[in-house]
């Protein structure tokens, strides 16, 4: 058993209106779900994706009024966004025109990569994916032409102070494969270990683990990643719940998020993982043509709609 790729990544924003503008206007992703954090209904949970919310494409944010992240280890340190190699010149010009500072395109782990940060310091990278991963559905109202739009997430890079127990969990519990290493670009003395999941590999199905024993432990805040989720088949969800129990991994137990089902647990290095099913998807309670245009709530929260919506900031 192994997840077959990245499902989504959830991060933290303390400036949600600016976040909305950046990811829909500058990055050109579609807001496919305008909802709330189901465990903290005072906060938005926004989902940016392709036109239909293809699993493996979703970059999501919690809206929390917190100070900036204190960077360090035991955290996710960079999120990959996949594009065609021919699009990197376009993105270099687009980011510059938007006033976003970016590094020059360079080869990292054998792939052309353009690294930059969002306005709150969320660390991102556009990279050439070689056409790997599920094909996305372009959003026809994106300010980014269809041929240059984000194709999906991956790889995700995390940092731990020691590899041994994290490696054991990734290989034994999650069935990932350690396939190669490379020096961390910012700190060549630190090594990044690349783990593949699923059958074919590729950046959409890679977790990169940087071993950084000399860093302080990160403190989560705005610009930080809250958790990373991996894709599991709908019909394997119960098997994964049983598998975590069998290995003695403390977890949330089954959680129904309405749009997908989840299992949450921390790997030994402290990073929060989620296993999430592909279905039923974001169109279960909205018309595909109007995804993300109004606040939608799962049925368990619908009776509190007036109170919840009144506590949310306007986005548009």
């Amino acid at each position: 058993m192994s997840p077959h790729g990245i499902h989504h990544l959830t991060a933290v924003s303390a400036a949600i209106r600016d976040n909305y503008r950046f990811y829909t206007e500058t990055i050109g992703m579609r807001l496919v779900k305008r909802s709330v954090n189901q465990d903290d209904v005072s906060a938005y949970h926004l989902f940016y994706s392709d036109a239909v919310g293809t699993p493996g494409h979703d970059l999501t944010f919690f809206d929390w009024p917190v100070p900036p992240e204190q960077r360090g280890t035991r955290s996710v340190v960079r999120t990959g966004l996949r594009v065609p190699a021919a699009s990197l010149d376009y993105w270099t010009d687009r980011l510059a025109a938007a006033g976003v500072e970016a590094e020059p395109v360079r080869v990292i782990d054998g792939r052309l990569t353009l690294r930059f940060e969002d306005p709150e310091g969320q660390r991102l990278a556009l990279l050439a994916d070689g056409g790997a991963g599920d094909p996305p559905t372009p959003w026809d109202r994106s300010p980014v032409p269809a041929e240059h739009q984000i194709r999906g997430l991956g790889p995700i890079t995390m940092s731990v102070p020691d590899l041994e127990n994290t490696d054991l969990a990734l290989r034994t519990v999650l069935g990932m494969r350690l396939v190669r290493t490379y020096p961390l670009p910012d700190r060549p003395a630190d090594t990044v270990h690349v783990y593949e999941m699923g059958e074919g590999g590729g950046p959409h199905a890679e977790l990169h683990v940087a071993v950084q024993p000399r860093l302080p432990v990160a403190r989560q805040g705005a610009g930080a990643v809250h958790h990373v989720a991996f894709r599991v088949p709908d019909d394997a969800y119960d098997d994964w719940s049983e598998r975590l129990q069998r290995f003695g991994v403390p977890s949330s137990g089954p959680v129904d998020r309405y749009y997908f089902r989840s299992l949450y647990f921390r790997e030994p290095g402290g990073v929060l993982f989620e296993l999430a099913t592909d279905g039923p998807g974001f169109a279960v309670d909205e018309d595909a043509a109007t995804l993300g245009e109004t606040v939608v709530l799962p049925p368990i929260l619908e009776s509190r709609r007036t109170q919840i919506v009144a506590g949310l900031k306007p986005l548009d």
Side-chain angles (χ1 to χ4, degrees):
M1 291 178 67
S2 173
H4 57 279
I6 308 298
H7 186 282
H8 69 267
L9 179 133
T10 296
V12 180
S13 171
I16 201 66
R17 292 184 72 181
D18 293 340
N19 176 279
Y20 169 63
R21 286 193 292 269
F22 181 79
Y23 285 96
T24 59
E25 296 175 10
T26 303
I27 303 302
M29 300 176 82
R30 184 183 187 185
L31 180 64
V32 294
K33 192 61 59 178
R34 187 184 306 222
S35 192
V36 296
N37 182 322
Q38 294 180 21
D39 302 311
D40 174 11
V41 297
S42 69
Y44 276 115
H45 191 182
L46 303 185
F47 293 74
Y48 305 108
S49 190
D50 64 355
V52 296
T54 301
H57 201 292
D58 309 328
L59 182 57
T60 92
F61 287 87
F62 293 148
D63 163 34
W64 284 334
V66 293
E69 172 194 26
Q70 294 185 21
R71 293 179 176 178
T73 190
R74 301 190 186 277
S75 65
V76 172
V77 297
R78 194 167 297 273
T79 300
L81 304 173
R82 298 181 286 106
V83 295
S87 296
L88 288 171
D89 287 344
Y90 167 87
W91 277 103
T92 296
D93 295 341
R94 181 174 183 83
L95 293 175
V100 178
E101 292 187 11
E103 299 177 0
V105 174
R106 57 176 163 160
V107 175
I108 299 175
D109 187 35
R111 299 183 181 115
L112 289 170
T113 303
L114 172 62
R115 305 201 310 175
F116 65 102
E117 297 179 6
D118 81 0
E120 293 185 274
Q122 186 67 230
R123 287 167 282 183
L124 305 168
L126 292 160
L127 59 99
D129 71 353
D134 292 346
T137 302
W139 179 33
D140 59 9
R141 286 187 285 160
S142 173
V144 175
E147 65 270 24
H148 299 307
Q149 288 180 27
I150 305 300
R151 286 179 38 81
L153 300 182
I156 305 301
T157 304
M158 57 183 265
S159 170
V160 296
D162 180 79
L163 185 64
E164 182 177 4
N165 289 331
T166 294
D167 171 80
L168 186 64
L170 296 180
R171 291 188 298 103
T172 304
V173 179
L174 293 178
M176 297 185 187
R177 305 176 298 277
L178 177 60
V179 293
R180 63 183 180 276
T181 64
Y182 64 94
L184 188 68
D186 298 332
R187 293 171 171 261
D190 297 335
T191 300
V192 182
H193 301 251
V194 178
Y195 292 83
E196 282 185 350
M197 60 196 91
E199 294 182 0
H204 66 291
E206 287 179 2
L207 180 66
H208 293 203
V209 182
V211 181
Q212 300 185 279
R214 293 169 294 279
L215 287 188
V217 175
R219 182 176 297 174
Q220 203 163 83
V225 170
H226 186 268
H227 65 268
V228 58
F230 305 110
R231 295 174 66 179
V232 299
D234 295 14
D235 60 5
Y237 178 74
D238 291 337
D239 294 336
W240 275 104
S241 181
E242 293 171 4
R243 183 177 180 87
L244 294 179
Q245 291 181 37
R246 188 165 66 252
F247 277 99
V249 176
S251 79
S252 63
V255 178
D256 189 347
R257 294 302 189 196
Y258 193 55
Y259 310 111
F260 44 82
R261 292 185 293 166
S262 300
L263 294 161
Y264 298 88
F265 61 99
R266 289 195 184 275
E267 57 82 31
V271 177
L272 183 60
F273 284 173
E274 175 184 353
L275 300 175
T277 60
D278 280 355
F282 295 123
V284 68
D285 59 355
E286 288 188 274
D287 188 286
T290 57
L291 288 175
E293 295 183 8
T294 59
V295 174
V296 294
L297 302 173
I300 59 171
L301 297 177
E302 191 59 45
S303 64
R304 300 165 57 193
R305 168 173 286 275
T306 301
Q307 173 193 357
I308 290 172
V309 173
L312 299 174
K313 312 175 189 76
L315 282 182
D316 304 297

